[in-house]
């Protein structure tokens, strides 16, 4: 796939040439603009990842997160096992069952001790996997690394490759729209000191699909922008804000955070599933309560958590765009007119939805992958309760409150580097 690559080793000397190395092709970019983008001293040291965190206590070798794809199988196995166990228990003599309960009651101290030991182990595990979020320094629980979810990242790339092979093309680096998007990405990355960010190999891909109003940035540093989004934005400031928002998701590690949160909820949900299929006598009622428990977890846990991360990415993205000298007062207006739902693309990174079983969803009949988009439109405040994203009204109001600080960043960046 074509892509603009900014080496993670920090050797930005390639930016001084008229041609920039690309994956498969070379794009002709203006050397003066690239030279100005490369000559960017450090603006804010806090953009660097905090040097110390409890994650340094890890002793296990990185493992691929294949178990995440086994979630539906685990739920099914627990449900079947619980139902079979219930029937077996009912067939036993009542005297024998009373004896089992009496035996457990006599040893409840040992049982409670085992539960307490397991709980303590869970608390220790949680504490060991706490870390500071880059930039915002918010404490969070992350149990995965990029190496462990590398297979999921590749699956997301395969979804987009499937779109391209299915008739949707990728713009050539020589295309005017590609150069427009690439220069915006270049400015955001260099002026926010992200070119040397560990673990990222920045590549820009512009997908020629006007139906999709969307942009995605994977944890690998691959930035995908759809032409539908470029045409929907009224100016480069609005496009820069959306792209900064997606880059912020990747830099903040929101994808790994969401996977970790879902893994914990899925683990405890197995106990709920087992309880439902053990206690409820009727299969139809068990299926209903099983489905209701998952929807309840979405509404009460996953959706609010996702909206929190979206708000954080909005704030960081606004600052990133301002430091790249894109007018924040102009850029936030994108949420006033971006009110038409578009075709969706699903991605587990950075904040796309996943299916109930935790695996990435498939594609719709028209070839567009299904799921919620990072640039999701939630027009009504009432709809926000059932959405992974804040409503446009709340997003705009939150960004307006952040404007004073963002405008100071904008003025300082423009006065130092020019527009």
């Amino acid at each position: 796939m074509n892509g603009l690559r900014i080496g993670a080793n920090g050797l930005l000397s390639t930016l001084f040439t008229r041609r920039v190395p690309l994956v498969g092709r070379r794009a002709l970019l203006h050397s003066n603009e690239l030279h100005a983008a490369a000559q960017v001293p450090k603006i804010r040291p806090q953009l660097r990842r905090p040097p110390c965190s409890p994650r340094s206590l890890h002793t296990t070798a990185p493992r691929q997160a294949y178990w995440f794809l086994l979630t539906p199988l685990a739920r099914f196995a627990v449900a079947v096992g619980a139902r079979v166990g219930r029937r077996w228990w009912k067939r036993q003599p009542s005297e024998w069952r009373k004896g089992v309960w009496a035996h457990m009651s006599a040893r409840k101290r040992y049982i409670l001790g085992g539960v307490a030991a397991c709980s303590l182990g869970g608390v220790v595990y949680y504490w060991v996997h706490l870390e500071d979020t880059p930039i915002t320094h918010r404490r969070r629980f992350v149990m995965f690394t990029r190496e462990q979810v590398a297979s999921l990242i590749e699956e997301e790339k395969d979804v987009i490759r499937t779109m391209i092979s299915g008739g949707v093309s990728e713009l050539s680096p020589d295309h005017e729209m590609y150069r427009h998007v690439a220069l915006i990405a270049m400015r955001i990355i260099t002026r926010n000191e992200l070119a040397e960010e560990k673990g990222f190999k920045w590549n820009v891909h512009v997908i020629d699909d006007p139906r999709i109003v969307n942009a995605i940035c994977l944890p690998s540093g691959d930035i995908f922008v759809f032409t539908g989004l470029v045409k929907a934005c009224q100016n480069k400031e609005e496009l820069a804000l959306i792209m900064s928002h997606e880059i912020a998701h990747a830099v903040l590690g929101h994808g790994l955070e969401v996977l970790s949160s879902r893994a914990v909820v899925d683990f405890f949900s197995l106990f709920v599933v087992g309880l439902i299929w053990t206690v409820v006598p009727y299969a139809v009622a068990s299926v209903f309560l099983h489905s209701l428990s998952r929807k309840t977890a979405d509404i009460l846990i996953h959706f609010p958590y996702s909206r929190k991360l979206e708000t954080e990415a909005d704030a960081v993205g606004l600052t990133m765009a301002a430091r790249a000298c894109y007018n924040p007062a102009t850029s936030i207006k994108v949420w006033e007119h971006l009110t038409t739902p578009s075709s969706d693309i699903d991605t587990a990174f950075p904040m796309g939805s996943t299916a109930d079983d935790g695996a990435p969803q498939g594609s719709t009949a028209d070839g567009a992958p299904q799921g919620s988009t990072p640039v999701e439109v939630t027009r009504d405040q009432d709809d926000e309760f059932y959405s992974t994203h804040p409503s446009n009204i709340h997003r705009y109001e939150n960004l307006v409150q952040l404007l004073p600080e963002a405008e100071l960043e904008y003025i300082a960046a423009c006065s130092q580097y020019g527009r």
Side-chain angles (χ1 to χ4, degrees):
M1 301 176 71
N2 300 325
L4 173 63
R5 182 180 295 277
I6 303 177
N9 58 5
L11 298 179
L12 295 177
S13 59
T14 55
L15 300 181
F16 293 97
T17 62
R18 181 167 292 273
R19 292 182 178 270
V20 177
L22 300 166
V23 178
R25 301 190 185 185
R26 293 176 175 266
L28 183 62
L29 301 177
H30 298 290
S31 60
N32 291 336
E33 292 176 291
L34 293 178
H35 182 83
Q39 296 289 338
V40 179
K42 294 183 178 180
I43 299 176
R44 283 293 182 85
Q46 63 265 32
L47 284 177
R48 307 261 63 84
R49 190 179 300 277
C52 299
S53 74
R55 291 186 66 83
S56 60
L57 299 176
H58 285 190
T59 57
T60 55
R63 302 177 302 275
Q64 298 293 335
Y66 292 121
W67 70 268
F68 207 73
L69 304 178
L70 299 178
T71 302
L73 180 61
R75 289 196 182 117
F76 177 78
V78 169
V80 172
R83 182 58 68 180
V84 172
R86 172 186 169 84
R87 292 178 178 176
W88 174 84
W89 177 262
K90 290 293 184 182
R91 288 198 298 266
Q92 304 308 311
S94 59
E95 291 299 325
W96 182 86
R97 284 183 286 173
K98 291 179 181 179
V100 171
W101 284 117
H103 181 79
M104 293 178 63
S105 178
R107 289 162 175 78
K108 62 182 178 181
R109 293 175 57 185
Y110 300 101
I111 296 175
L112 293 176
V115 172
C118 291
S119 301
L120 179 61
V123 171
V124 172
Y125 183 85
Y126 178 83
W127 179 83
V128 167
H129 289 79
L130 287 176
E131 67 174 28
D132 286 342
T133 305
I135 303 176
T136 62
H137 305 291
R138 172 179 54 85
R139 295 293 284 175
R140 64 175 179 183
F141 171 78
V142 177
M143 60 183 293
F144 297 114
T145 64
R146 284 190 177 88
E147 291 77 14
Q148 291 172 327
V149 297
S151 60
L152 294 180
I153 298 175
E154 289 302 318
E155 287 179 10
E156 298 302 334
K157 293 181 182 179
D158 289 340
V159 170
I160 301 177
R161 291 190 187 104
T162 301
M163 288 183 59
I164 296 175
S165 62
V168 178
S169 62
E170 182 177 354
L171 295 185
S172 164
D174 297 325
H175 196 282
E176 181 180 359
M177 185 178 291
Y178 178 92
R179 293 201 300 268
H180 173 64
V181 173
L183 284 174
I184 292 177
M186 177 79 71
R187 235 164 107 175
I188 295 170
I189 292 168
T190 55
R191 295 197 177 183
N192 286 277
E193 309 168 42
L194 301 177
E196 299 181 21
E197 189 74 12
K198 183 179 179 181
F200 290 95
K201 294 182 179 179
W202 300 103
N203 295 275
V204 174
H205 311 272
V206 181
I207 311 301
D208 188 13
D209 192 339
R211 301 170 302 166
I212 300 181
V213 183
N214 194 13
I216 302 167
C217 183
L218 300 181
S220 58
D222 289 282
I223 304 170
F224 296 90
V225 178
F226 292 82
T227 55
L229 175 65
V230 179
K231 295 176 181 179
C233 293
Q234 297 180 350
N235 49 61
K236 62 182 180 181
E237 279 79 10
E238 294 183 355
L239 180 59
L241 180 64
I242 298 298
M243 291 176 63
S244 295
H245 170 89
E246 299 305 325
I247 292 173
H249 271 311
V251 174
L252 294 169
H254 283 170
L256 301 178
E257 189 174 348
V258 168
L259 289 180
S260 300
S261 171
R262 282 190 172 272
V264 172
V265 175
D266 287 341
F267 174 76
F268 285 104
S269 70
L270 294 178
F271 293 95
V272 177
V273 170
L275 181 64
I276 290 173
W277 286 91
T278 299
V279 175
V280 179
Y282 303 106
V284 174
S286 297
V287 171
F288 172 76
L289 292 176
H290 186 164
S291 177
L292 180 63
S293 67
R294 295 194 308 196
K295 297 301 181 184
T296 302
D298 283 338
I299 294 175
L300 298 183
I301 300 175
H302 295 311
F303 291 171
Y305 194 70
S306 176
R307 291 195 296 268
K308 174 184 176 181
L309 299 185
E310 287 294 331
T311 301
E312 184 178 56
D314 280 345
V316 174
L318 180 66
T319 302
M320 284 184 173
R323 290 178 184 174
C325 200
Y326 291 108
N327 192 334
T330 302
S331 63
I332 66 173
K333 294 180 180 179
V334 68
W335 296 116
E336 289 186 317
H337 66 81
L338 192 63
T339 56
T340 303
S342 63
S343 300
D344 297 335
I345 180 168
D346 173 65
T347 173
F349 308 102
M351 287 299 299
S353 66
T354 54
D356 286 338
D357 58 12
Q361 297 179 18
S363 301
T364 57
D366 62 359
Q370 62 184 356
S372 65
T373 67
V375 189
E376 180 179 319
V377 175
T378 307
R379 289 173 289 179
D380 197 311
Q381 295 186 64
D382 296 332
D383 296 338
E384 180 178 292
F385 185 72
Y386 306 100
S387 174
T388 58
H389 290 59
S391 66
N392 278 16
I393 296 175
H394 283 160
R395 298 184 92 156
Y396 182 77
E397 290 175 348
N398 291 336
L399 291 175
V400 167
Q401 294 178 359
L402 299 173
L403 265 184
E405 183 176 350
E407 287 177 339
L408 292 178
E409 296 280 1
Y410 169 70
I411 294 171
C414 294
S415 62
Q416 186 172 1
Y417 311 118
R419 300 188 181 185

